[in-house]
């Protein structure tokens, strides 16, 4: 029995939801290890689009336990709305979802801080999702964060609240034009949240250890992407968690060796939401076309995504950081109709060729891209189900991606639906019971 991680290999929005949903029936548990409602994972089936923010993309499958682990953040109001939305569609969320008692809670003041900081930063703003992610993770590190378990323990909640106040939280909020709720109000809100969420909360670390002991397979679901990793991404234009495979043991309490195989999800081109360097961004007509055809608008915030070309330097970096065994390439159909397709193969920074991601974001901002230009193809790909049926130019493009990213392809997605998927013979996914689409 092998445990598998599915993580983002770019700046998020790679299409992880579809890949996790496809694989989920082969696993006993699907677990999220970092991030919170900043994520927006979409799963399309039966002609309907389902957007998930906290809940793992395995939730649509009976018999699969979906875990929100200790390294994640939850916003109770949003999570409850998500649960209710799924329950209204007849999905047995109560049986399938488990939330860690150790997860941290995004408190109302974290939302105020996130919005307030972004407004203050003006042109230096990160362009966060304003879901309170940075402030809630900061509170966790500063050790006055509120955990899910604290919602059921008024004395613990009071201790965290008072610690936050003594460390100047009320003044910080006031400076941003926000007010800190009273302790009484927070206790009342916590009681309400616990009443509704309590039955779903447990020690998920124990649950995962039992799965490991019993040889039941676990799928680890990443959120955001490698280039947004707090340590290894384009800092400070990053999210506040460890998005790569390295975040899995820390965020779930499983041994590193439990992460046996890693699939990295990458779009056939590249997008980014929010501020920060994006060397292969295309501000011209090709970028606009990618946005329109690829419907590149945020699932969580609705913001238009910045669009550009596949960056093989960044992809190689992601492959090395997380030990990605195979790539799942998504949205390949979107490239049809472009006369020429480009791949970023290196950067030139201050006249020097650079083949990896520089440590400093402003260096990446200055990078000139060295492109390899390939012939495009006009044929639509939505109905293609095997590599042999692809136009020659499209095959050449895929071969170059594999070579330049130094990683084989396990899956190529040619449309949002579960069925619009090419699984080549010999794909890593065959080891997980996914049949090749010959
Ligand atoms: P935060 O995670 O809301 O603090 O946002 C920090 C940065 O990460 C911003 O550039 C966001 O646009 C980006 N980000 C956060 N979550 C996602 C995601 O799920 N997809 C794409 N970008 C994201």
């Amino acid at each position: 029995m092998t445990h598998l991680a599915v993580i983002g290999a770019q700046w998020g929005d790679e299409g992880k939801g579809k890949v996790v949903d496809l694989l989920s029936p082969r696993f006993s548990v699907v677990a999220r290890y970092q991030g919170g409602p900043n994520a927006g994972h979409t799963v399309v089936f039966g002609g309907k689009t389902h957007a998930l923010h906290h809940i793992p993309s395995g939730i649509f499958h009976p018999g699969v336990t979906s875990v929100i682990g200790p390294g994640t953040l939850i916003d109770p109001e949003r999570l409850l709305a998500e649960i209710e939305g799924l329950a209204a569609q007849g999905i047995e969320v109560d049986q399938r979802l488990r939330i860690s008692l150790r997860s941290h809670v995004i408190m109302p003041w974290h939302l105020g801080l996130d919005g307030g900081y972004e407004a203050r930063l003006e042109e230096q703003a990160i362009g966060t999702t304003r879901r309170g992610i940075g402030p809630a993770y900061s509170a966790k590190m500063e050790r006055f964060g509120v955990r899910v378990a604290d919602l059921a323990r008024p004395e613990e909640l009071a201790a965290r609240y008072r610690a936050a106040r003594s460390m100047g939280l009320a003044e910080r909020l006031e400076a941003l034009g926000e007010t800190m709720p009273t302790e009484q109000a927070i206790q009342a809100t916590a009681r309400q949240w616990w009443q509704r969420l309590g039955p779903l909360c447990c020690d998920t670390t124990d649950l995962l250890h039992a799965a490991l002991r019993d040889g039941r397979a676990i799928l680890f679901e990443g959120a955001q992407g490698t280039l947004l990793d707090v340590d290894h991404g384009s800092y400070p234009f990053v999210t506040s968690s460890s998005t790569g495979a390295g975040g899995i043991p820390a965020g779930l309490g499983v041994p590193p060796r439990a992460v046996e195989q890693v699939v990295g999800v990458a779009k056939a081109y590249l997008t980014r939401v929010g501020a920060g360097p994006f060397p292969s961004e295309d501000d011209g007509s090709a970028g606009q076309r990618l946005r329109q055809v690829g419907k590149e608008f945020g699932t969580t915030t609705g913001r238009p995504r910045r669009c550009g070309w596949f960056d093989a330097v960044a992809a190689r970096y992601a492959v090395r950081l997380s030990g990605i065994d195979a790539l799942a390439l998504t949205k390949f159909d979107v490239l049809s109709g472009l006369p020429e397709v480009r791949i970023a193969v290196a950067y030139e920074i201050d006249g020097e060729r650079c083949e990896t991601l520089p440590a400093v974001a402003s260096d990446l901002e200055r990078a000139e891209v060295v492109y390899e230009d390939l012939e495009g193809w006009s044929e639509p790909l939505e109905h293609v189900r095997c590599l042999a049926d692809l136009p020659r130019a499209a095959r050449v493009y895929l071969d170059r991606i594999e070579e330049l990213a130094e990683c084989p392809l396990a899956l190529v997605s040619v449309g949002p639906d579960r069925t619009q998927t090419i699984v080549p013979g010999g794909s890593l996914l065959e080891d997980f019971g996914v049949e090749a689409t010959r």
Side-chain angles (χ1 to χ4, degrees), residues 23-78:
L23 287 163
S24 291
R26 277 93 187 163
F27 292 82
S28 168
V29 180
V30 177
R32 280 261 321 255
Y33 56 93
Q34 46 68 236
N38 48 348
H41 294 177
T42 37
V43 178
V44 182
F45 59 90
K48 275 184 84 174
T49 301
H50 308 261
L52 298 167
H53 299 284
H54 295 86
I55 299 180
S57 308
I59 196 73
F60 300 106
H61 300 278
V64 177
T65 304
S66 286
V67 165
I68 299 180
T72 64
L73 298 176
I74 69 152
D75 176 333
E77 291 297 338
R78 287 184 194 277

Side-chain angles (χ1 to χ4, degrees), residues 11-13 38-40 126-130 133-134 224 228 238-239 273-274 303:
W11 270 298
D13 306 319
N38 48 348
I126 306 294
T128 73
T129 58
R130 300 194 178 210
I133 304 298
Q224 291 81 51
L228 289 170
V238 292
T239 189
V273 213
R303 290 181 290 178

